[in-house]
Amino acid sequence: MKKLMIAMIALSVLFGFAACGDDPEPYVKTDQEAKSDDDSGNTGNTGDTGNTGDTGDTGDTGNTGDSGNTGNTGNTGDSGDCATDNLGKSCTTDTDCGKCMICITNGKCAKGCTTNEDCTMHTGLKCNKKLARCTNVFASLQACGETKCPTGCCYGDKGLAGVKCLTTAKASKCGLCPQGEIYIPDDSKCVPAVCSTTTDNCPTLNSGSTSPKPACFECKSGEFICQPDTTTSGCSAGVIINAAKCIPAGQQCVAGVSECCSGMPCIQGYCY
């Protein structure tokens, strides 16, 4: 009996050592557990859905705001604005230069007037926006106003006794004048488009006149053209009328100097 007990104890010790010496078998997940772990791990990649934030790039469609640049199509209004691309271009008449551009003394295109504020170089000037010229729009029944003179050019009578409109510009009549001046073909020079009622320049503008004398010319208020002063002593007697060259009705004349064929006096620069 004692020997049996010893044998059993020995066997127990032996099996205990055997159990301690063996490694435990590795734990193997089931298919379901593995699939669940894999899917749950990938949920971290759902952060990639944050790339859907890239749809925020559609915010770039805000660049369609560049379509606001279509506001530059307003520059197509440039076709209706001044033809400044012609600035400095060689020319012989204003019409060579394009809209609201003029041809000045040096035979080059320059910016013309667009408002009356551009015409402050001489009192009495207004902007004929059709011609882009600061001119006398009051004289000779408003012959150089926008309504009566929308094309061509304005030019002056000898001594700035009146103004006329040439509907088709010609260099011989229009000349090459600075802004605010007008060409007088008979005198072959540019002069201010209006005479001055304060510092009367009519005697100077008519310095070549022999009858009446230059000193007998004065600036007509309201029309800004020169006329003989028939009220001053020594002036009216010097006025000579050439009856052989009477002026037909509808033609321009100079009060106190010209003789109208109708026998009527010269009224506001015209014979009736």
Side-chain angles (χ1 to χ4, degrees), residues 180-228:
E181 295 193 8
I182 192 170
Y183 189 67
I184 299 182
D186 288 342
D187 295 334
S188 300
K189 64 181 180 181
C190 295
V191 302
V194 288
C195 60
S196 173
T197 56
T198 54
T199 57
D200 199 336
N201 56 341
C202 283
T204 301
L205 293 174
N206 288 275
S207 59
S209 176
T210 56
S211 182
K213 296 178 293 185
C216 291
F217 286 91
E218 64 180 359
C219 187
K220 184 176 182 180
S221 179
E223 289 192 48
F224 301 100
I225 52 175
C226 298
Q227 64 178 9

CSV table of all heavy atoms in Angstrom, one decimal, residues 180-228:
chain,number,residue,atom,x,y,z
A,180,GLY,N,-10.1,123.4,-79.3
A,180,GLY,CA,-10.6,124.7,-78.9
A,180,GLY,C,-10.3,125.8,-80.0
A,180,GLY,O,-10.7,126.9,-79.8
A,181,GLU,N,-9.7,125.4,-81.1
A,181,GLU,CA,-9.4,126.3,-82.2
A,181,GLU,C,-10.1,125.9,-83.4
A,181,GLU,O,-10.6,124.7,-83.5
A,181,GLU,CB,-7.9,126.5,-82.4
A,181,GLU,CG,-7.2,127.1,-81.2
A,181,GLU,CD,-5.8,127.6,-81.6
A,181,GLU,OE1,-5.4,127.6,-82.7
A,181,GLU,OE2,-5.0,128.0,-80.6
A,182,ILE,N,-10.3,126.8,-84.3
A,182,ILE,CA,-11.0,126.5,-85.6
A,182,ILE,C,-10.2,127.1,-86.8
A,182,ILE,O,-9.5,128.1,-86.6
A,182,ILE,CB,-12.4,127.2,-85.6
A,182,ILE,CG1,-13.3,126.7,-86.7
A,182,ILE,CG2,-12.3,128.7,-85.6
A,182,ILE,CD1,-14.7,127.2,-86.6
A,183,TYR,N,-10.2,126.4,-87.9
A,183,TYR,CA,-9.4,126.8,-89.0
A,183,TYR,C,-10.2,127.8,-89.9
A,183,TYR,O,-11.4,127.6,-90.1
A,183,TYR,CB,-9.1,125.5,-89.9
A,183,TYR,CG,-8.1,125.8,-91.0
A,183,TYR,CD1,-6.8,126.1,-90.7
A,183,TYR,CD2,-8.5,125.7,-92.3
A,183,TYR,CE1,-5.9,126.4,-91.7
A,183,TYR,CE2,-7.6,125.9,-93.3
A,183,TYR,CZ,-6.3,126.2,-93.0
A,183,TYR,OH,-5.3,126.5,-94.0
A,184,ILE,N,-9.5,128.8,-90.3
A,184,ILE,CA,-10.1,129.8,-91.2
A,184,ILE,C,-9.4,129.6,-92.6
A,184,ILE,O,-8.2,130.1,-92.7
A,184,ILE,CB,-10.0,131.2,-90.7
A,184,ILE,CG1,-10.7,131.3,-89.4
A,184,ILE,CG2,-10.5,132.2,-91.7
A,184,ILE,CD1,-10.7,132.7,-88.7
A,185,PRO,N,-10.0,129.0,-93.6
A,185,PRO,CA,-9.3,128.8,-94.8
A,185,PRO,C,-8.9,130.0,-95.5
A,185,PRO,O,-7.8,130.1,-96.1
A,185,PRO,CB,-10.4,128.1,-95.7
A,185,PRO,CG,-11.3,127.4,-94.7
A,185,PRO,CD,-11.3,128.4,-93.5
A,186,ASP,N,-9.7,131.1,-95.4
A,186,ASP,CA,-9.3,132.4,-96.1
A,186,ASP,C,-8.0,133.0,-95.5
A,186,ASP,O,-7.3,133.7,-96.2
A,186,ASP,CB,-10.4,133.4,-96.0
A,186,ASP,CG,-11.6,133.0,-96.9
A,186,ASP,OD1,-11.4,132.2,-97.9
A,186,ASP,OD2,-12.7,133.5,-96.7
A,187,ASP,N,-7.8,132.7,-94.2
A,187,ASP,CA,-6.6,133.3,-93.6
A,187,ASP,C,-5.5,132.2,-93.4
A,187,ASP,O,-4.4,132.5,-92.9
A,187,ASP,CB,-7.0,133.8,-92.2
A,187,ASP,CG,-7.9,135.0,-92.3
A,187,ASP,OD1,-7.9,135.7,-93.3
A,187,ASP,OD2,-8.7,135.2,-91.3
A,188,SER,N,-5.8,131.0,-93.8
A,188,SER,CA,-4.9,129.8,-93.7
A,188,SER,C,-4.3,129.7,-92.3
A,188,SER,O,-3.0,129.6,-92.2
A,188,SER,CB,-3.8,130.0,-94.7
A,188,SER,OG,-4.3,130.0,-96.0
A,189,LYS,N,-5.1,129.8,-91.3
A,189,LYS,CA,-4.6,129.7,-89.9
A,189,LYS,C,-5.7,129.2,-89.0
A,189,LYS,O,-6.9,129.3,-89.3
A,189,LYS,CB,-4.0,131.0,-89.4
A,189,LYS,CG,-5.0,132.1,-89.3
A,189,LYS,CD,-4.3,133.4,-88.8
A,189,LYS,CE,-5.3,134.6,-88.7
A,189,LYS,NZ,-4.6,135.8,-88.3
A,190,CYS,N,-5.2,128.7,-87.8
A,190,CYS,CA,-6.1,128.3,-86.7
A,190,CYS,C,-6.2,129.5,-85.8
A,190,CYS,O,-5.2,130.1,-85.4
A,190,CYS,CB,-5.6,127.1,-86.0
A,190,CYS,SG,-5.5,125.6,-87.0
A,191,VAL,N,-7.5,129.7,-85.3
A,191,VAL,CA,-7.7,130.8,-84.3
A,191,VAL,C,-8.6,130.2,-83.2
A,191,VAL,O,-9.3,129.2,-83.5
A,191,VAL,CB,-8.3,132.0,-84.9
A,191,VAL,CG1,-7.4,132.6,-86.0
A,191,VAL,CG2,-9.7,131.7,-85.5
A,192,PRO,N,-8.7,130.8,-82.1
A,192,PRO,CA,-9.7,130.4,-81.1
A,192,PRO,C,-11.1,130.3,-81.7
A,192,PRO,O,-11.5,131.2,-82.5
A,192,PRO,CB,-9.6,131.4,-80.0
A,192,PRO,CG,-8.2,132.0,-80.1
A,192,PRO,CD,-7.9,132.0,-81.6
A,193,ALA,N,-11.8,129.2,-81.4
A,193,ALA,CA,-13.1,129.0,-82.0
A,193,ALA,C,-14.2,130.0,-81.6
A,193,ALA,O,-15.2,130.1,-82.2
A,193,ALA,CB,-13.6,127.6,-81.7
A,194,VAL,N,-13.8,130.8,-80.6
A,194,VAL,CA,-14.7,131.9,-80.1
A,194,VAL,C,-13.9,133.1,-79.9
A,194,VAL,O,-12.7,133.0,-79.5
A,194,VAL,CB,-15.4,131.5,-78.8
A,194,VAL,CG1,-16.5,130.4,-79.0
A,194,VAL,CG2,-14.4,131.0,-77.7
A,195,CYS,N,-14.5,134.3,-80.2
A,195,CYS,CA,-13.8,135.5,-79.9
A,195,CYS,C,-14.0,135.8,-78.4
A,195,CYS,O,-14.9,135.3,-77.7
A,195,CYS,CB,-14.2,136.7,-80.8
A,195,CYS,SG,-16.0,137.0,-80.6
A,196,SER,N,-13.2,136.7,-77.8
A,196,SER,CA,-13.3,137.1,-76.4
A,196,SER,C,-14.1,138.4,-76.3
A,196,SER,O,-13.7,139.4,-76.9
A,196,SER,CB,-11.9,137.2,-75.8
A,196,SER,OG,-12.0,137.6,-74.5
A,197,THR,N,-15.1,138.4,-75.4
A,197,THR,CA,-15.8,139.6,-75.1
A,197,THR,C,-15.1,140.4,-74.0
A,197,THR,O,-15.5,141.6,-73.8
A,197,THR,CB,-17.3,139.3,-74.7
A,197,THR,OG1,-17.2,138.4,-73.6
A,197,THR,CG2,-18.0,138.6,-75.8
A,198,THR,N,-14.2,139.8,-73.4
A,198,THR,CA,-13.5,140.5,-72.3
A,198,THR,C,-12.2,141.1,-72.8
A,198,THR,O,-11.9,142.3,-72.6
A,198,THR,CB,-13.2,139.6,-71.1
A,198,THR,OG1,-12.5,138.4,-71.5
A,198,THR,CG2,-14.5,139.2,-70.4
A,199,THR,N,-11.3,140.3,-73.4
A,199,THR,CA,-10.1,140.8,-74.0
A,199,THR,C,-10.3,140.7,-75.5
A,199,THR,O,-9.8,139.8,-76.1
A,199,THR,CB,-8.9,140.0,-73.5
A,199,THR,OG1,-9.1,138.6,-73.8
A,199,THR,CG2,-8.7,140.1,-72.0
A,200,ASP,N,-11.1,141.6,-76.0
A,200,ASP,CA,-11.5,141.5,-77.4
A,200,ASP,C,-10.4,141.3,-78.4
A,200,ASP,O,-9.5,142.1,-78.6
A,200,ASP,CB,-12.3,142.8,-77.8
A,200,ASP,CG,-13.2,142.6,-79.0
A,200,ASP,OD1,-12.9,141.7,-79.8
A,200,ASP,OD2,-14.1,143.4,-79.2
A,201,ASN,N,-10.4,140.1,-79.0
A,201,ASN,CA,-9.4,139.7,-80.0
A,201,ASN,C,-9.8,139.9,-81.4
A,201,ASN,O,-9.1,139.5,-82.3
A,201,ASN,CB,-8.9,138.3,-79.7
A,201,ASN,CG,-10.0,137.3,-79.8
A,201,ASN,OD1,-11.2,137.6,-79.7
A,201,ASN,ND2,-9.7,136.0,-80.0
A,202,CYS,N,-11.0,140.5,-81.6
A,202,CYS,CA,-11.5,140.7,-83.0
A,202,CYS,C,-10.6,141.6,-83.8
A,202,CYS,O,-10.4,141.4,-85.0
A,202,CYS,CB,-13.0,141.1,-83.0
A,202,CYS,SG,-14.1,139.7,-82.6
A,203,PRO,N,-10.1,142.7,-83.3
A,203,PRO,CA,-9.2,143.6,-84.0
A,203,PRO,C,-8.0,142.8,-84.5
A,203,PRO,O,-7.6,142.9,-85.7
A,203,PRO,CB,-8.8,144.7,-83.1
A,203,PRO,CG,-10.0,144.8,-82.2
A,203,PRO,CD,-10.5,143.3,-82.0
A,204,THR,N,-7.5,141.9,-83.7
A,204,THR,CA,-6.3,141.1,-84.1
A,204,THR,C,-6.8,140.0,-85.2
A,204,THR,O,-6.0,139.8,-86.1
A,204,THR,CB,-5.8,140.3,-82.9
A,204,THR,OG1,-5.4,141.3,-81.9
A,204,THR,CG2,-4.6,139.5,-83.3
A,205,LEU,N,-7.9,139.4,-85.0
A,205,LEU,CA,-8.4,138.4,-85.9
A,205,LEU,C,-8.7,139.1,-87.3
A,205,LEU,O,-8.7,138.4,-88.3
A,205,LEU,CB,-9.7,137.7,-85.4
A,205,LEU,CG,-9.5,136.8,-84.2
A,205,LEU,CD1,-10.8,136.3,-83.6
A,205,LEU,CD2,-8.6,135.7,-84.5
A,206,ASN,N,-8.9,140.4,-87.3
A,206,ASN,CA,-9.2,141.1,-88.5
A,206,ASN,C,-8.1,142.1,-88.9
A,206,ASN,O,-8.4,143.1,-89.5
A,206,ASN,CB,-10.6,141.8,-88.4
A,206,ASN,CG,-11.7,140.8,-88.5
A,206,ASN,OD1,-12.2,140.4,-89.5
A,206,ASN,ND2,-12.2,140.4,-87.3
A,207,SER,N,-6.9,141.8,-88.5
A,207,SER,CA,-5.8,142.7,-88.7
A,207,SER,C,-5.5,143.0,-90.2
A,207,SER,O,-5.0,144.0,-90.5
A,207,SER,CB,-4.5,142.2,-88.0
A,207,SER,OG,-4.2,140.9,-88.6
A,208,GLY,N,-6.0,142.1,-91.0
A,208,GLY,CA,-5.7,142.4,-92.5
A,208,GLY,C,-6.8,143.2,-93.1
A,208,GLY,O,-6.7,143.5,-94.3
A,209,SER,N,-7.8,143.5,-92.4
A,209,SER,CA,-8.9,144.3,-93.0
A,209,SER,C,-8.5,145.8,-93.2
A,209,SER,O,-7.9,146.4,-92.4
A,209,SER,CB,-10.2,144.2,-92.1
A,209,SER,OG,-11.2,145.0,-92.6
A,210,THR,N,-9.0,146.3,-94.4
A,210,THR,CA,-8.7,147.7,-94.6
A,210,THR,C,-10.0,148.5,-94.5
A,210,THR,O,-10.0,149.7,-94.3
A,210,THR,CB,-8.1,147.9,-96.1
A,210,THR,OG1,-9.0,147.3,-97.0
A,210,THR,CG2,-6.8,147.2,-96.2
A,211,SER,N,-11.1,147.8,-94.7
A,211,SER,CA,-12.4,148.5,-94.6
A,211,SER,C,-13.5,147.5,-94.1
A,211,SER,O,-13.8,146.6,-94.8
A,211,SER,CB,-12.8,149.1,-95.9
A,211,SER,OG,-14.0,149.8,-95.8
A,212,PRO,N,-13.9,147.7,-92.9
A,212,PRO,CA,-13.5,148.7,-91.9
A,212,PRO,C,-12.1,148.4,-91.3
A,212,PRO,O,-11.6,147.4,-91.5
A,212,PRO,CB,-14.6,148.6,-90.8
A,212,PRO,CG,-15.0,147.2,-90.9
A,212,PRO,CD,-14.9,146.8,-92.3
A,213,LYS,N,-11.6,149.4,-90.6
A,213,LYS,CA,-10.3,149.2,-90.0
A,213,LYS,C,-10.4,148.1,-88.9
A,213,LYS,O,-11.4,147.9,-88.4
A,213,LYS,CB,-9.9,150.5,-89.3
A,213,LYS,CG,-9.7,151.7,-90.3
A,213,LYS,CD,-9.3,153.0,-89.6
A,213,LYS,CE,-10.5,153.5,-88.8
A,213,LYS,NZ,-10.2,154.8,-88.2
A,214,PRO,N,-9.3,147.4,-88.7
A,214,PRO,CA,-9.2,146.4,-87.7
A,214,PRO,C,-9.8,146.8,-86.3
A,214,PRO,O,-10.5,146.0,-85.7
A,214,PRO,CB,-7.8,146.0,-87.5
A,214,PRO,CG,-7.2,146.4,-88.9
A,214,PRO,CD,-7.9,147.6,-89.3
A,215,ALA,N,-9.6,148.0,-86.0
A,215,ALA,CA,-10.1,148.5,-84.7
A,215,ALA,C,-11.6,148.6,-84.6
A,215,ALA,O,-12.2,148.8,-83.5
A,215,ALA,CB,-9.4,149.9,-84.3
A,216,CYS,N,-12.2,148.5,-85.8
A,216,CYS,CA,-13.7,148.6,-85.8
A,216,CYS,C,-14.4,147.3,-85.6
A,216,CYS,O,-15.6,147.3,-85.7
A,216,CYS,CB,-14.1,149.3,-87.1
A,216,CYS,SG,-13.6,151.0,-87.3
A,217,PHE,N,-13.6,146.2,-85.4
A,217,PHE,CA,-14.3,144.9,-85.2
A,217,PHE,C,-14.4,144.7,-83.7
A,217,PHE,O,-13.5,145.1,-82.9
A,217,PHE,CB,-13.5,143.8,-85.9
A,217,PHE,CG,-13.6,143.8,-87.3
A,217,PHE,CD1,-12.7,144.5,-88.2
A,217,PHE,CD2,-14.6,143.1,-87.9
A,217,PHE,CE1,-12.9,144.5,-89.5
A,217,PHE,CE2,-14.8,143.0,-89.3
A,217,PHE,CZ,-13.9,143.7,-90.1
A,218,GLU,N,-15.5,144.0,-83.3
A,218,GLU,CA,-15.7,143.7,-81.9
A,218,GLU,C,-16.3,142.3,-81.8
A,218,GLU,O,-16.9,141.8,-82.8
A,218,GLU,CB,-16.6,144.7,-81.2
A,218,GLU,CG,-18.0,144.8,-81.8
A,218,GLU,CD,-18.9,145.8,-81.1
A,218,GLU,OE1,-18.4,146.5,-80.2
A,218,GLU,OE2,-20.1,145.9,-81.5
A,219,CYS,N,-16.2,141.7,-80.6
A,219,CYS,CA,-16.7,140.4,-80.4
A,219,CYS,C,-18.2,140.5,-80.0
A,219,CYS,O,-18.6,141.2,-79.1
A,219,CYS,CB,-16.0,139.7,-79.3
A,219,CYS,SG,-16.4,138.0,-79.0
A,220,LYS,N,-19.0,139.8,-80.8
A,220,LYS,CA,-20.5,139.9,-80.5
A,220,LYS,C,-20.9,139.0,-79.4
A,220,LYS,O,-20.7,137.8,-79.4
A,220,LYS,CB,-21.2,139.5,-81.8
A,220,LYS,CG,-22.7,139.6,-81.7
A,220,LYS,CD,-23.4,139.2,-83.0
A,220,LYS,CE,-24.9,139.4,-82.9
A,220,LYS,NZ,-25.6,139.1,-84.2
A,221,SER,N,-21.4,139.6,-78.3
A,221,SER,CA,-21.8,138.9,-77.1
A,221,SER,C,-22.9,137.9,-77.5
A,221,SER,O,-23.8,138.2,-78.2
A,221,SER,CB,-22.3,139.9,-76.1
A,221,SER,OG,-22.7,139.2,-74.9
A,222,GLY,N,-22.8,136.7,-76.9
A,222,GLY,CA,-23.8,135.7,-77.1
A,222,GLY,C,-23.5,134.8,-78.3
A,222,GLY,O,-24.0,133.6,-78.3
A,223,GLU,N,-22.8,135.3,-79.3
A,223,GLU,CA,-22.5,134.5,-80.4
A,223,GLU,C,-21.0,134.2,-80.6
A,223,GLU,O,-20.6,133.3,-81.2
A,223,GLU,CB,-23.0,135.1,-81.7
A,223,GLU,CG,-24.5,135.1,-81.8
A,223,GLU,CD,-25.0,135.5,-83.2
A,223,GLU,OE1,-24.4,134.9,-84.2
A,223,GLU,OE2,-25.9,136.3,-83.3
A,224,PHE,N,-20.2,135.1,-79.9
A,224,PHE,CA,-18.7,134.9,-79.9
A,224,PHE,C,-18.1,134.9,-81.3
A,224,PHE,O,-17.2,134.1,-81.6
A,224,PHE,CB,-18.4,133.6,-79.1
A,224,PHE,CG,-18.8,133.7,-77.7
A,224,PHE,CD1,-20.0,133.0,-77.3
A,224,PHE,CD2,-18.2,134.4,-76.7
A,224,PHE,CE1,-20.5,133.0,-76.0
A,224,PHE,CE2,-18.6,134.4,-75.4
A,224,PHE,CZ,-19.8,133.7,-75.0
A,225,ILE,N,-18.6,135.7,-82.2
A,225,ILE,CA,-18.0,135.9,-83.5
A,225,ILE,C,-17.7,137.4,-83.7
A,225,ILE,O,-18.3,138.2,-82.9
A,225,ILE,CB,-18.9,135.4,-84.6
A,225,ILE,CG1,-20.3,136.0,-84.6
A,225,ILE,CG2,-18.9,133.9,-84.7
A,225,ILE,CD1,-21.2,135.6,-85.7
A,226,CYS,N,-16.9,137.8,-84.6
A,226,CYS,CA,-16.5,139.1,-84.8
A,226,CYS,C,-17.5,139.9,-85.8
A,226,CYS,O,-17.9,139.3,-86.8
A,226,CYS,CB,-15.1,139.2,-85.4
A,226,CYS,SG,-13.9,138.5,-84.3
A,227,GLN,N,-17.8,141.1,-85.5
A,227,GLN,CA,-18.6,141.9,-86.3
A,227,GLN,C,-18.1,143.4,-86.3
A,227,GLN,O,-17.4,143.8,-85.3
A,227,GLN,CB,-20.1,141.9,-85.9
A,227,GLN,CG,-20.3,142.5,-84.5
A,227,GLN,CD,-21.7,142.5,-84.1
A,227,GLN,OE1,-22.6,141.9,-84.7
A,227,GLN,NE2,-22.0,143.1,-83.0
A,228,PRO,N,-18.4,144.1,-87.3
A,228,PRO,CA,-18.0,145.5,-87.3
A,228,PRO,C,-18.7,146.3,-86.3
A,228,PRO,O,-19.9,146.1,-86.1
A,228,PRO,CB,-18.3,146.0,-88.7
A,228,PRO,CG,-18.4,144.8,-89.6
A,228,PRO,CD,-19.0,143.7,-88.6
